[in-house]
Amino acid sequence: MTPDKNLDYHSFEVQEIIERVPKWTSRWGISSLLAILCILLIISSKVTVPVKKRFEVLLKITNPPLHITNKPGNIITPSTKAVKVKKGDILVKNQLSGELILAPYSGTLTKVSPVANTGEETVSIFLPDDVSYQFEGKVPVNFKKLVKTGDKLNLIIASNNFNEDVRVYGIVKDISPVAFNNELVFYGNLSAESNRLLKKDFLYSSKINGINEVTVSNDTILNMLFGKIK
């Protein structure tokens, strides 16, 4: 007769010893857990990590591109594909009205192919030689310490034309002293390097939307966990 495997052949005393958890295991287990928690709290209260806040920023070109249309009577100078033009030179002369359009800055007059020959389609674009952008943004009053006059801001341009965000830099020149809708407006200029980058990739854009400003500060992990960001 085969013995039943489910039968328990241990006596009550033996069974109690087998199932009994040693006291030192409980004691040291709880102590180890408390020690680990204390270490984590100490580390999280000492170690700092970057805290990023994002605010919308709008970039505006100082000398916007000039779009010239095929208005009846317009004679556009020159007739070639592209030519350099100095400030004050005649860009367009209207034979019917005698109106003149003078170059507001030195740049390049470039012909473009109009979509249609009817109406006032853009036929030429006058682009500035020197491109400079200014930026304008808003910051909530409770975060006003994050943006100060003279600060160097890291601005991110999110564009569908690029796989990666374009990063440019600027200096805050002024901040409005009075808040409107619980926000302060700040202004500034981009660096020369950033202007060269935008001239290469965004020359036809007088205004660049979808700009986010990233302001970085440092705070402890503990404050971040409990929502006490400075």
Side-chain angles (χ1 to χ4, degrees):
M1 181 177 177
T2 305
D4 190 351
K5 295 181 180 181
N6 295 324
L7 292 177
D8 193 353
Y9 294 99
H10 299 296
S11 65
F12 176 78
E13 292 79 5
V14 174
Q15 186 71 23
E16 185 179 8
I17 293 173
I18 293 175
E19 295 179 355
R20 185 185 304 163
V21 179
K23 293 183 179 180
W24 67 268
T25 303
S26 301
R27 182 171 62 252
W28 284 104
I30 296 174
S31 300
S32 300
L33 181 60
L34 290 175
I36 292 173
L37 289 176
C38 291
I39 293 173
L40 290 176
L41 285 174
I42 294 173
I43 293 176
S44 62
S45 64
K46 298 295 182 182
V47 177
T48 58
V49 294
V51 179
K52 297 182 179 181
K53 296 294 179 182
R54 294 186 169 225
F55 310 107
E56 292 184 357
V57 177
L58 176 65
L59 271 67
K60 300 178 181 178
I61 194 171
T62 304
N63 295 321
L66 182 62
H67 293 254
I68 299 173
T69 63
N70 60 348
K71 184 178 179 180
N74 276 356
I75 299 177
I76 302 173
T77 305
S79 58
T80 55
K81 180 67 176 177
V83 68
K84 289 287 186 180
V85 179
K86 294 181 180 179
K87 182 178 180 180
D89 288 350
I90 297 176
L91 293 177
V92 181
K93 181 178 180 179
N94 192 287
Q95 289 180 320
L96 302 179
S97 63
E99 179 185 3
L100 298 177
I101 298 178
L102 304 181
Y105 44 74
S106 297
T108 302
L109 185 63
T110 304
K111 277 196 170 185
V112 296
S113 299
V115 177
N117 293 323
T118 58
E120 295 186 5
E121 299 289 340
T122 297
V123 293
S124 296
I125 297 180
F126 184 52
L127 303 173
D129 285 338
D130 297 324
V131 175
S132 60
Y133 280 85
Q134 298 176 336
F135 61 84
E136 175 183 324
K138 297 179 181 180
V139 57
V141 174
N142 56 323
F143 289 117
K144 63 181 180 180
K145 292 183 179 180
L146 297 179
V147 180
K148 300 183 293 296
T149 302
D151 280 356
K152 180 180 179 180
L153 297 186
N154 175 21
L155 307 176
I156 298 178
I157 301 174
S159 174
N160 294 330
N161 298 327
F162 299 90
N163 294 327
E164 297 181 357
D165 291 336
V166 178
R167 294 179 177 269
V168 294
Y169 301 90
I171 303 297
V172 178
K173 295 298 182 183
D174 194 17
I175 302 176
S176 61
V178 180
F180 182 73
N181 288 336
N182 204 33
E183 292 179 322
L184 296 173
V185 181
F186 58 89
Y187 310 89
N189 299 322
L190 293 188
S191 65
E193 181 181 357
S194 297
N195 283 321
R196 286 192 293 269
L197 176 64
L198 294 182
K199 179 181 179 180
K200 177 182 177 182
D201 296 326
F202 293 89
L203 183 55
Y204 291 88
S205 303
S206 58
K207 293 182 180 181
I208 305 177
N209 298 314
I211 306 299
N212 291 326
E213 173 204 356
V214 180
T215 302
V216 180
S217 61
N218 291 320
D219 206 347
T220 63
I221 298 176
L222 188 64
N223 282 341
M224 294 183 65
L225 290 175
F226 288 96
K228 297 179 180 180
I229 306 298
K230 295 180 181 180

